[in-house]
Amino acid sequence: MADLRAQIEDQIPRLRRYARALTGDRTLADDLVQDTLERALTRFHLWRHGSDLRAWLFTIMHNIFVNQARSRLRHRHESLESNAAVEAMQAPEPDWLQLRDLDRALAQLPHEQRTVLLLVGLEQFTYEEAARVLQVPIGTVMSRLSRGRERLRMVLAGDSNVSALKVVK
Amino acid sequence: MIRLPITEADLHAYVDGILPAERAAEIEAYLAEHPEDAARVASYCEQTASLHRVFDPMLDEPLPQRLEVPRPLWVRPALRYAAVVAWLALGGVAGWHLHEYRAAGQFEATTWARRAAVAHVTYSPEVRHPVEVGAAEEAHLVRWLSKRLGASVKAPHLGDLGYSLVGGRLLPGDRGPVAQFMYQDGKGQRLTLYLRRDAGKQRETAFRFSRERGVGVFYWIDGGLGYALSGEIDKPELLRVATAVYRQLNP
């Protein structure tokens, strides 16, 4: 048991990285990680020994994120600007301009696409693993990945049509 | 040889580096003849690279206190266990001292010195992880601890006395977070400076000294911060360092 707890502890930095990229906000990210850990601790008995612990934790996080997404996203769009500035002062970010640009661009993706893009690109889950975490068919993962990457490319390239879509949303 | 048609899924699998070498080579040949797809693929690869560039540094950050999994369930190696035992013992001793020191201020202050000593004996023998953030990242360390304590803290420079900064860590205290800076001399002798925000009535006090199981502690309050300097060195030497710390923080 102690060993399993240590294994969960080892996953915390990756859960934080993913949550930070997903929410665009350091505090919200840590809230999400904290909720995930709390839920994981009370559900140890549901974890099957020998199965992938990381996928299990990311699945829990995903479920919490989806449940909270609507209210949190509204929050995030309001606070994005000030947050980037605060992070620039307090965090050892390598390049905060790049962070801000990427945060803004990711924020323009529907969360279904952002989730897949981050699980595959940042966390290096296989498509099958991502499908399990998100509880969708693998074909859905592929199409979201494809659309997400293309949309991110357009946003980063400063495509005005894509930017206009955000205003409408 | 019959080549399979190149699909959108192939391009992504290529970006994610999961194709067998032979198929990857086919994709490359295809991209060489299709510049638009090639630009798209290059852009997707760059997306993955920037995600890592921007977000990977989070992997090396010290965890905020609230994400440390609650102890004692999460007691990791022996040191944490020792710390818990020390804290339990401390509770007993502190309870006993309550009879001795009726004056609440005095009780508070001796508890503070004892906690500093416990933190000192817990972390100063650590070989691999004496600190959470090393001296190489001093600016980040100081910023981080200042933020967590809610007060501007500084890591005094004690090089003139032969002690260099090892780094620091954040610890739980009875009234909020506490910072610990660790110093070391050329022989590996370590000192720790333990500090917290002190919202008590006294804005400053004189130096006080206490010895807790072989650890000498000078402690004082200055400018709304409580300080405790601990070390297993003799009292005059420790006083010399404490004086230097005080002077640096009050130039």
Side-chain angles (χ1 to χ4, degrees):
Chain A
M1 196 63 159
D3 180 47
L4 181 58
R5 287 170 190 277
Q7 285 177 42
I8 291 191
E9 216 170 31
D10 288 343
Q11 296 297 333
I12 297 177
R14 300 179 72 164
L15 290 165
R16 283 187 87 210
R17 171 177 68 175
Y18 173 69
R20 169 65 188 77
L22 186 64
T23 61
D25 181 294
R26 196 168 268 275
T27 307
L28 290 183
D30 283 347
D31 287 347
L32 187 55
V33 175
Q34 194 173 9
D35 290 347
T36 303
L37 292 173
E38 278 165 12
R39 194 171 293 186
L41 286 173
T42 59
R43 295 185 178 197
F44 259 167
H45 59 285
L46 294 178
W47 182 69
R48 282 181 300 110
H49 266 273
S51 65
D52 185 352
L53 183 68
R54 184 168 76 110
W56 184 65
L57 290 170
F58 274 79
T59 306
I60 292 176
M61 181 180 268
H62 175 71
N63 291 340
I64 296 174
F65 173 74
V66 168
N67 286 337
Q68 297 173 344
R70 211 160 290 150
S71 61
R72 292 210 159 168
L73 283 175
R74 207 177 300 133
H75 220 78
R76 183 170 60 79
H77 281 295
E78 286 159 14
S79 64
L80 202 57
E81 196 70 33
S82 59
N83 259 304
V86 171
E87 286 195 16
M89 285 185 290
Q90 66 192 203
E93 301 294 354
D95 180 345
W96 82 274
L97 278 174
Q98 198 185 13
L99 169 71
R100 192 196 56 186
D101 290 349
L102 201 54
D103 266 339
R104 285 181 176 166
L106 286 169
Q108 295 188 43
L109 263 55
H111 74 74
E112 293 84 1
Q113 292 174 16
R114 187 169 25 161
T115 315
V116 172
L117 197 141
L118 293 174
L119 284 178
V120 172
L122 186 61
E123 298 302 331
Q124 287 157 323
F125 278 88
T126 64
Y127 305 148
E128 291 83 1
E129 286 169 342
R132 271 202 298 279
V133 167
L134 303 173
Q135 301 138 73
V136 297
I138 191 163
T140 307
V141 165
M142 294 308 302
S143 67
R144 286 179 185 174
L145 181 65
S146 170
R147 278 181 285 132
R149 278 179 168 160
E150 186 56 14
R151 187 175 173 99
L152 187 61
R153 181 172 81 95
M154 300 303 243
V155 174
L156 288 172
D159 187 303
S160 57
N161 290 330
V162 180
S163 300
L165 281 176
K166 186 206 171 195
V167 178
V168 174
K169 186 174 76 173
Chain B
M1 188 176 85
I2 301 167
R3 283 193 180 177
L4 293 171
I6 307 284
T7 65
E8 178 72 12
D10 285 324
L11 296 183
H12 288 279
Y14 176 77
V15 168
D16 295 315
I18 53 175
L19 290 178
E22 199 179 320
R23 183 66 175 156
E26 287 175 23
I27 306 288
E28 276 159 19
Y30 167 85
L31 292 176
E33 289 161 22
H34 297 79
E36 270 186 30
D37 281 337
R40 217 151 55 81
V41 164
S43 162
Y44 298 164
C45 290
E46 172 54 27
Q47 286 176 13
T48 299
S50 27
L51 286 173
H52 283 287
R53 210 160 42 234
V54 167
F55 295 114
D56 281 0
M58 280 202 84
L59 295 178
D60 300 322
E61 273 180 36
L63 291 182
Q65 212 172 338
R66 64 185 174 123
L67 296 186
E68 280 176 14
V69 192
R71 278 168 232 171
L73 291 176
W74 289 75
V75 171
R76 258 206 308 193
L79 260 179
R80 289 218 180 153
Y81 183 70
V84 171
V85 171
W87 279 99
L88 291 176
L90 174 73
V93 175
W96 180 76
H97 272 270
L98 194 53
H99 295 283
E100 196 179 341
Y101 299 107
R102 280 289 165 193
Q106 179 71 13
F107 169 63
E108 251 279 314
T110 52
T111 305
W112 167 241
R114 196 163 282 121
R115 290 196 167 178
V118 169
H120 177 85
V121 299
T122 303
Y123 294 105
S124 61
E126 262 285 339
V127 179
R128 288 186 56 202
H129 307 292
V131 295
E132 272 176 292
V133 178
E137 295 177 87
E138 186 185 329
H140 164 55
L141 171 67
V142 165
R143 223 165 36 224
W144 169 53
L145 293 176
S146 295
K147 182 169 152 255
R148 293 306 307 270
L149 263 61
S152 168
V153 304
K154 291 187 191 115
H157 291 152
L158 304 172
D160 291 349
L161 297 171
Y163 290 93
S164 55
L165 182 68
V166 179
R169 64 168 65 241
L170 189 70
L171 295 166
D174 55 341
R175 293 182 308 184
V178 181
Q180 184 190 53
F181 289 117
M182 189 177 295
Y183 296 86
Q184 180 171 304
D185 72 4
K187 289 174 290 182
Q189 179 68 247
R190 284 173 171 174
L191 301 179
T192 56
L193 181 64
Y194 193 63
L195 63 164
R196 68 170 174 191
R197 202 158 73 162
D198 197 306
K201 283 187 209 117
Q202 288 173 298
R203 289 291 291 171
E204 54 189 274
T205 64
F207 279 170
R208 282 175 285 189
F209 180 76
S210 121
R211 191 168 279 285
E212 312 284 346
R213 280 179 280 170
V215 181
V217 185
F218 270 104
Y219 56 102
W220 69 96
I221 298 173
D222 180 34
L225 288 170
Y227 297 86
L229 180 74
S230 311
E232 286 150 282
I233 54 177
D234 64 23
K235 192 172 164 183
E237 167 74 2
L238 193 62
L239 177 60
R240 211 160 62 85
V241 181
T243 310
V245 169
Y246 178 81
R247 289 217 179 104
Q248 268 195 41
L249 300 171
N250 290 275

